[in-house]
Amino acid sequence: MDAGQPFEIRIDAEGVAWLSGELDMASADSLVDEVSMRLGGHPAVLDMSELTFLDSSGVRAIVQLAAKSEQPVFIRQPPDNIRKVLAIAGIDGSLGVRIDPPS
């Protein structure tokens, strides 16, 4: 059984968090901790163009990040499979989360 790609967060000079690999129960807390620690009161921008998997724990982490920072979370370029999970969860446009580009 393939374990998939490990989750990785890289934050660039503009504060964009580039996510890659699998955002699941094993990595959800690290997303909240690492991104909220480096936000400095600014909205979070999560580029998901290299994310391969997202489960309900990852969705919960995104919502937690928005609640913890009291700022919007902007999701950029989610692949179709990730966009589908976000749509099923119903978080676009609510709970402080915005997806760009919109579907």
Side-chain angles (χ1 to χ4, degrees):
M1 184 170 160
D2 183 15
Q5 294 179 324
F7 180 68
E8 183 181 350
I9 304 170
R10 294 170 317 205
I11 300 179
D12 67 19
E14 286 82 38
V16 175
W18 296 80
L19 311 182
S20 61
E22 299 183 355
L23 178 51
D24 56 17
M25 185 170 65
S27 54
D29 289 340
S30 65
L31 172 72
V32 176
D33 294 343
E34 190 166 338
V35 174
S36 63
M37 177 177 63
R38 299 184 65 187
L39 281 178
H42 298 289
V45 177
L46 307 178
D47 187 293
M48 294 188 172
S49 59
E50 296 179 17
L51 201 65
T52 58
F53 179 81
L54 176 70
D55 70 3
S56 60
S57 298
V59 171
R60 175 190 49 81
I62 294 166
V63 173
Q64 275 186 314
L65 186 58
K68 186 174 185 176
S69 68
E70 298 180 356
Q71 293 284 336
V73 171
F74 295 96
I75 296 174
R76 279 195 333 199
Q77 303 178 16
D80 289 341
N81 63 321
I82 305 298
R83 185 180 293 276
K84 185 173 184 176
V85 172
L86 295 169
I88 290 168
I91 66 169
D92 186 18
S94 64
L95 306 171
V97 179
R98 305 291 180 266
I99 300 174
D100 183 41
S103 10

